[in-house]
Amino acid sequence: MLKIDLMRPEELGDAVRLFVDAVHQINRADYAPEQLDAWAPDDAAFRAQLQNKLASSLTLAACDGDTLVGFGSLLGAGELDMLYVDPGHLRRGVGRALVQALEQEACRRGSSHLTAYASITARPFFESMGYCVVRENTVLRRGVVLQNFLMFKELLNIE
């Protein structure tokens, strides 16, 4: 049974491992290996930086029993910052449940909309959740260029 709650400190290490695995496995059809390595390097400094980022954000954990199967975070009230699902749990409603919970939290915080920077791979998922592409975006990570999309959704009818 999927449970979504605030991420606990003891889940941060699992979240970082999930992030690196998800980026490298799920996005490999849309990004070159050097882009994946720049986006999600598997080194101690990056792991520590990502743990700090997750700990200082509103981050929700999706757990199946005791296993972390996904997470998502908000920046402020209006930006869905991170959304990652374990590669073995794709297309099981984990991402959808996390987005819905984050949208509800954004509404509670007074936001009437959410933005997200979606990868090429995640764009169809976000479109299925009602997000629209605002523009194509280019990001520089560790000297490597990556493409993503700024996406937007009105939250006026979220309950």
Side-chain angles (χ1 to χ4, degrees):
M1 175 123 192
L2 189 66
K3 181 181 177 191
I4 297 181
D5 210 342
L6 288 173
M7 183 169 283
R8 300 180 320 239
E10 60 269 21
E11 295 171 317
L12 291 170
D14 290 338
V16 171
R17 280 188 291 284
L18 186 153
F19 170 82
V20 172
D21 290 347
V23 168
H24 284 270
Q25 293 179 38
I26 296 168
N27 297 284
R28 65 180 169 212
D30 296 311
Y31 294 91
E34 61 270 11
Q35 290 175 307
L36 299 174
D37 289 340
W39 181 358
D42 195 12
D43 65 58
F46 176 77
R47 287 192 298 270
Q49 178 186 6
L50 183 54
Q51 280 192 28
N52 289 336
K53 178 179 181 174
L54 293 171
S56 64
S57 302
L58 181 127
T59 304
L60 299 180
C63 294
D64 184 1
D66 291 334
T67 304
L68 180 72
V69 296
F71 69 89
S73 65
L74 283 180
L75 273 183
E79 184 179 338
L80 196 159
D81 182 40
M82 299 185 81
L83 179 70
Y84 291 90
V85 175
D86 178 79
H89 289 80
L90 291 179
R91 293 175 181 79
R92 296 187 191 176
V94 176
R96 183 169 298 279
L98 281 165
V99 168
Q100 289 169 341
L102 290 166
E103 289 173 351
Q104 290 170 355
E105 182 59 33
C107 284
R108 278 193 289 276
R109 291 176 169 215
S111 183
S112 61
H113 68 276
L114 267 180
T115 60
Y117 286 93
S119 67
I120 296 167
T121 312
R123 176 183 171 177
F125 167 78
F126 278 99
E127 288 173 332
S128 78
M129 296 292 297
Y131 289 75
C132 299
V133 173
V134 174
R135 66 176 159 78
E136 213 171 294
N137 191 54
T138 302
V139 178
L140 191 63
R141 294 278 184 263
R142 293 166 189 75
V144 177
V145 174
L146 296 126
Q147 177 193 13
N148 63 20
F149 299 91
L150 174 60
M151 303 192 76
F152 178 88
K153 181 178 181 180
E154 290 283 343
L155 299 178
L156 300 176
N157 297 319
I158 302 293
E159 296 180 13

